[in-house]
Amino acid sequence: MMDMTDTPSSFAALSYYEGDDVYPVTRITVGAVGAIGRRTFALQAFFGAEPFSWIIEKDQAMALSKAIPELLDDVLAEFPELGNPLVAAAPNLTLAEPLQPLFRVGSIGVGYDRLHDLVIFTLVDADMMNAGEEDAELVDDEEESDPPEHQIYVTRGQAKLLGEQAARAVVAGRLLCPRCNAPMDDFGHFCPPANARNRRGGEIMH
């Protein structure tokens, strides 16, 4: 088994095999830095103590918060013998700073490897995607090639925590409504009338 403490400082370290074995990251998280309205979102994975970071968009973080639980539900429905994902009792989901991103992510794919019971995140460099689109205009269809993909392998438990953390990171940047104290969306906010809320807990009464 590869010693993760000897992982080289290159992206290649994030996706490696030994025989038929695939090793997941030590931990993975998402967060944002900067003032509200000007935040920079980052996806960060660790091998041992060494972090690897990528810049992502807020919309991509939101998409992860929705896609991950959907994928995990689908996996459990198809393979009930796997049971619920195991999660750490006290996970460390903070970003390690300073951030030194490898690149800005143009797209994130979310998949599942049943053989190794691992969730796979496929990252594509935004600059490479844009360059590929420009080059496609200069070559025949037969000569077109997709931009390189970088894959990160994580356990289902790590993926579950990442999805929850992504949701928190997105909501954390929203201003709170002065009336109901709930996060306000970019496109507007529905504030329920005062008599529709539970005075004890602030929950919406059905």
Side-chain angles (χ1 to χ4, degrees):
M1 180 174 179
M2 181 181 292
D3 184 357
M4 291 186 180
T5 61
D6 295 331
T7 302
S9 300
S10 66
F11 185 85
L14 288 172
S15 175
Y16 64 94
Y17 303 80
E18 184 176 341
D20 294 328
D21 295 327
V22 181
Y23 298 101
V25 298
T26 307
R27 70 181 182 94
I28 187 169
T29 189
V30 65
V33 295
I36 294 177
R38 302 175 63 181
R39 296 188 301 161
T40 298
F41 283 78
L43 177 68
Q44 190 173 74
F46 290 74
F47 265 102
E50 186 172 6
F52 295 82
S53 305
W54 303 264
I55 299 300
I56 64 173
E57 300 297 330
K58 177 182 177 181
D59 289 347
Q60 291 173 324
M62 184 179 298
L64 282 175
S65 72
K66 297 177 180 180
I68 292 174
E70 290 177 359
L71 173 69
L72 295 179
D73 286 345
D74 290 344
V75 169
L76 192 57
E78 186 172 358
F79 308 106
E81 69 277 7
L82 292 174
N84 293 319
L86 300 177
V87 299
N92 181 2
L93 297 173
T94 58
L95 290 175
E97 297 188 45
L99 295 177
Q100 297 180 326
L102 295 173
F103 55 76
R104 180 178 294 274
V105 176
S107 70
I108 305 177
V110 183
Y112 177 67
D113 177 354
R114 176 62 186 93
L115 178 61
H116 302 97
D117 187 22
L118 294 174
V119 175
I120 308 170
F121 297 108
T122 302
L123 312 181
V124 180
D125 187 329
D127 291 338
M128 296 295 292
M129 288 180 61
N130 295 334
E133 293 175 357
E134 294 176 358
D135 293 343
E137 299 177 357
L138 305 176
V139 299
D140 296 332
D141 291 343
E142 296 181 356
E143 297 178 356
E144 291 183 14
S145 60
D146 295 329
E149 298 179 344
H150 297 161
Q151 294 183 322
I152 306 172
Y153 295 84
V154 307
T155 67
R156 287 185 294 127
Q158 289 173 327
K160 181 177 186 297
L161 291 174
L162 179 65
E164 296 170 350
Q165 176 65 10
R168 285 191 293 267
V170 170
V171 172
R174 298 179 185 173
L175 297 176
L176 299 181
C177 174
R179 293 184 59 193
C180 67
N181 204 40
M184 295 188 295
D185 295 320
D186 296 336
F187 51 81
H189 173 66
F190 172 74
C191 185
N195 61 3
R197 298 192 299 138
N198 184 327
R199 292 182 180 180
R200 291 177 299 174
E203 298 178 353
I204 303 300
M205 298 291 290
H206 297 286

